Amino acid sequence: MSPFRASVPLTKSWEHFEFTVDDGVATVTFDRPEKLNALTFDVYADLRDLVAELPHRGDVRVLVLTGKGRGFCSGGDVEEIIGELQKMDTAELLEFTRMTGAVVKAMRETPIPIIAAINGVAAGAGSVLALASDFRLLAESAKFAFLFTKVGLAGADMGSAYLLPRLVGLGRATELLMLGDKLPAARAEAIGLANRVVPDAELADEATALARRLADGPALAYSTTKVLLTRELDSDLGSSIELEAITQALLMTAKDHKEFYAAWTAGRSPQWTGR
């Protein structure tokens, strides 16, 4: 557990999704399959807080997001969120939209790699949660749908207009966010939105294998790579080079780098510790 945390205890259980940790791999499973894992206010809030806590636990090196049943996440629940939003004033609505954005901000700023194992439809806010992850593994039956304009809202929501053009380009992002059409898994892979598409029956194994590789590898190197990728999205070249130089100099003093050299010298595989 990190020594740099406040006196408030870490959360032991989460009520609004399934959460497990197994040998460095944390898994969040959205578990409202009867509603294609539609989000509620509580799911948003819990996910925001969980992601913020993960670096302080000390037992998590990678996070996997997935859904139970036929869907990954179909976005905000029409009855439990959209219906309730009709009753709110402007200040309350802004509090809600800032909370949903805080989930994505937490996902991008956590040093822990995040894998989205997309087992079915990822729509609306669900598509943005996948977008905010570091790796997107899709089942062949999965599909994206950035549905915000379909409900009369801006296609730019929760940071989607920032993140999506950086993955697929402005032209494709404009089409996806403005029209809100479904994007099949094969097309998502072709335009760079999916890292890999696999048969439905193989998705869990593929996600487990990638998570295991990240958890067993040089975790400090992986986490700093994620942090720099996030920070340098809006950085000029000179600033990026300086930031990377400082980071590499620090990592050259880390135990994992020394372990690599010791292993190479001895002709064995490195035993990574993430330190």
Side-chain angles (χ1 to χ4, degrees), residues 117 137 196 198-212:
L137 305 182
R196 195 178 313 154
V198 301
D200 288 23
E202 298 177 15
L203 178 65
D205 288 342
E206 287 286 336
T208 297
L210 177 57
R212 189 75 267 141

Side-chain angles (χ1 to χ4, degrees), residues 183-195:
L183 182 70
R187 179 61 177 159
E189 184 178 33
I191 67 174
L193 186 52
N195 294 94

Side-chain angles (χ1 to χ4, degrees), residues 150-199:
K150 299 283 190 180
V151 299
L153 298 175
D157 191 47
M158 297 171 61
S160 59
Y162 177 90
L163 294 170
L164 191 57
R166 287 164 168 77
L167 279 178
V168 303
L170 179 60
R172 291 191 177 104
T174 300
E175 178 182 358
L176 292 171
L177 294 180
M178 196 171 292
L179 299 181
D181 292 337
K182 292 180 180 179
L183 182 70
R187 179 61 177 159
E189 184 178 33
I191 67 174
L193 186 52
N195 294 94
R196 195 178 313 154
V197 176
V198 301

Side-chain angles (χ1 to χ4, degrees), residues 81 91 99 164 171:
I81 287 188
M99 178 183 72
L164 191 57

Side-chain angles (χ1 to χ4, degrees), residues 9-118:
L10 295 173
T11 308
K12 293 184 178 180
S13 63
W14 300 88
E15 297 179 11
H16 305 293
F17 42 66
E18 293 181 2
F19 176 70
T20 61
V21 178
D22 180 17
D23 194 18
V25 178
T27 302
V28 165
T29 305
F30 301 120
D31 58 353
R32 304 180 75 215
E34 72 284 358
K35 292 197 172 185
L36 295 177
N37 301 312
L39 300 170
T40 65
F41 294 121
D42 291 330
V43 175
Y44 273 120
D46 271 8
L47 187 58
R48 174 201 59 196
D49 294 347
L50 169 65
V51 174
E53 281 193 10
L54 287 181
H56 303 289
R57 289 177 55 100
D59 61 347
V60 174
R61 294 188 177 187
V62 58
L63 171 64
V64 178
L65 298 181
T66 194
K68 183 177 291 187
R70 298 183 298 110
F72 172 72
C73 175
S74 60
D77 189 292
V78 174
E79 295 177 353
E80 296 193 35
I81 287 188
I82 298 179
E84 290 300 312
L85 295 179
Q86 311 305 306
K87 308 171 188 177
M88 296 183 183
D89 62 24
T90 303
E92 291 173 312
L93 292 170
L94 182 56
E95 185 177 2
F96 167 69
T97 54
R98 282 176 170 164
M99 178 183 72
T100 65
V103 177
V104 171
K105 188 171 184 287
M107 290 175 65
R108 292 310 311 146
E109 292 191 346
T110 183
I112 293 173
I114 301 175
I115 301 168
I118 304 166

